[in-house]
Amino acid sequence: MRRNARANRERILAAAADVFGASGELGSTEDVAARAGVGIATVFRHFPTKDALIEATLIRQFDHLTEQAAGLATEPDPGRAVRELITTLIETSSTKVTLISLAAASGQLPPAVQEATGRVQAAIGGVLAHAKDAGVVARDVTVEEFFVLVRGVGQATATMPAAAVTLDRAVEIIGRGLAPARSA
């Protein structure tokens, strides 16, 4: 793909995250084209349907989270890495929740989205493994349990945004809940 075509594709996907994140199913490909600064034909040249655009946008979201989690897995301070991961997952929840609901309109996520979900879960598993080895996260905490906790707060803040101080406190409380039990 030519450099300008790649740049257009990236602008379209960034615009789609903004448009669909803010407007849900009411967001249109025309809105995406306008926000990306390209013509509608350019959008459809890259993504033949609105569903294909939504799927690619969601995969892009998961790929960015996978990259970030992979970087955090080698962070010298595993506690900070876990807190940063929790914060990022919560802060990006609104757009992800909307895109997931649009992508799963048929009742199931497309296979490519399921694969992207698996990649991000594996990367998050790496962050948790590093934190467990450092004694910051209890050994019996699973990736699934981590997701339930973080997804719950993320969905809550997606529907009713919280003040920054409240979000910081929620992240701190989740972190304490993940920590190994202290002996009395």
Side-chain angles (χ1 to χ4, degrees):
M1 187 181 297
R2 293 184 338 261
R3 185 178 11 214
N4 66 335
R6 278 193 306 273
N8 281 345
R9 185 178 199 289
E10 183 56 31
R11 279 199 318 273
I12 291 166
L13 290 172
D18 292 342
V19 168
F20 296 125
S23 302
E25 67 183 38
L26 298 177
S28 70
T29 51
E30 291 82 5
D31 295 336
V32 171
R35 182 164 293 207
V38 299
I40 190 69
T42 301
V43 172
F44 284 119
R45 193 167 25 259
H46 288 276
F47 308 100
T49 65
K50 183 177 178 180
D51 288 342
L53 175 59
I54 290 167
E55 181 178 329
T57 304
L58 184 54
I59 290 169
R60 176 182 176 266
Q61 294 280 315
F62 284 139
D63 287 347
H64 284 175
L65 288 172
T66 299
E67 289 173 23
Q68 183 172 8
L72 290 172
T74 61
E75 167 70 37
D77 179 349
R80 185 177 113 25
V82 170
R83 286 188 303 278
E84 187 174 327
L85 180 61
I86 293 168
T87 300
T88 297
L89 291 170
I90 292 170
E91 288 175 346
T92 60
S93 286
S94 181
T95 299
K96 282 192 317 273
V97 166
T98 301
L99 290 169
I100 288 170
S101 70
L102 294 172
S106 67
Q108 186 172 343
L109 288 172
V113 173
Q114 291 177 21
E115 290 171 14
T117 301
R119 289 190 301 270
V120 76
Q121 287 176 341
I124 289 170
V127 175
L128 291 177
H130 187 54
K132 288 175 185 182
D133 290 345
V136 176
V137 170
R139 288 240 167 249
D140 62 344
V141 172
T142 67
V143 173
E144 293 79 14
E145 293 163 343
F146 177 84
F147 270 114
V148 168
L149 288 169
V150 175
R151 188 172 39 227
V153 175
Q155 287 177 334
T157 60
T159 57
M160 195 160 124
V165 67
T166 303
L167 181 58
D168 289 344
R169 183 84 170 114
V171 170
E172 179 186 323
I173 292 168
I174 292 171
R176 277 191 283 163
L178 295 171
R182 305 270 184 230
S183 298

